[in-house]
Amino acid sequence: MTSKKSWVEKRNCDTSFKIKKIDKKFADIPAHSKMLIVSPPIIDNYVKNIPSSKSVSLKELRDDLAKKYEADKTCPVTTGIFLRIVAEAAYEELESGKTITQITPFWRVINSKIKIASKLACGLNFINFQREKEGLEV
C-alpha cells in the first residue's frame, strides 16, 4: 500500500502540457478551439512570477498561458484543480518551516471571491491577510 502524496509532491509532477482540439463548446471555450491543459508546475511558475502587490485574475492567468502556449483558451477545470494544488503545496511548505517569501504567493491569484478559496487549508483569513499586506483588494 502506498502512502498518499503530499501537496508538494503533486505540485512537483511532470511539467508537460497538452493542447487539445475540442469538438464542441466547453465552459467558456467555443467549439473547434485549441484548448491548453497545463500542469501544476506551469501554474506554479506563473504565480511565482507575479510581482508583489499585483493581483492577476483567474481569467487573466488562463489567457496569458493560452497565449504563451499558442492555444485559444486554457481549460478552466484543470487550471482550477492545479491552482489549488499550487496553493496547498505552498501552504504545506509554510507549515513545514519555509518563510512567506519562500513560498508561491498564491494569494495574488486567489481571493476570497474565488470558489476554491474556502476549500484551502490556509483558510480565508490567511488569504485576506496576505492580500491586505500587499495592498491588494480583499
Side-chain angles (χ1 to χ4, degrees):
M1 186 176 193
T2 59
S3 62
K4 187 178 171 188
K5 281 187 176 181
S6 70
W7 290 107
V8 171
E9 289 171 318
K10 289 178 185 182
R11 182 198 60 204
N12 296 344
C13 67
D14 184 8
T15 61
S16 63
F17 63 93
K18 293 178 187 147
I19 296 180
K20 184 177 177 182
K21 185 92 169 173
I22 59 171
D23 298 328
K24 49 188 171 181
K25 183 183 183 316
F26 175 71
D28 64 343
I29 307 173
H32 313 293
S33 295
K34 291 189 297 182
M35 180 177 73
L36 171 66
I37 301 169
V38 292
S39 64
I42 290 171
I43 299 281
D44 190 59
N45 186 56
Y46 179 94
V47 176
K48 279 181 177 171
N49 285 293
I50 300 170
S52 179
S53 301
K54 184 178 186 312
S55 183
V56 173
S57 72
L58 201 46
K59 181 187 179 327
E60 190 178 350
L61 178 149
R62 288 179 55 220
D63 289 346
D64 288 349
L65 290 174
K67 185 177 179 180
K68 179 178 180 176
Y69 290 93
E70 299 177 0
D72 299 312
K73 293 279 186 177
T74 302
C75 176
V77 176
T78 55
T79 300
I81 292 167
F82 298 155
L83 181 60
R84 179 178 183 185
I85 289 171
V86 166
E88 296 286 15
Y91 192 67
E92 191 175 85
E93 289 175 325
L94 185 67
E95 294 282 284
S96 66
K98 284 195 173 183
T99 66
I100 199 76
T101 59
Q102 293 175 311
I103 67 168
T104 303
F106 61 90
W107 54 87
R108 294 179 188 157
V109 177
I110 298 174
N111 60 46
S112 58
K113 296 173 186 92
I114 293 179
K115 197 175 183 179
I116 66 168
S118 61
K119 298 177 184 179
L120 298 177
C122 66
L124 294 175
N125 288 341
F126 175 84
I127 294 168
N128 290 340
F129 178 77
Q130 294 306 322
R131 289 183 67 83
E132 282 176 11
K133 214 163 84 170
E134 291 193 20
L136 303 172
E137 185 181 319
V138 177

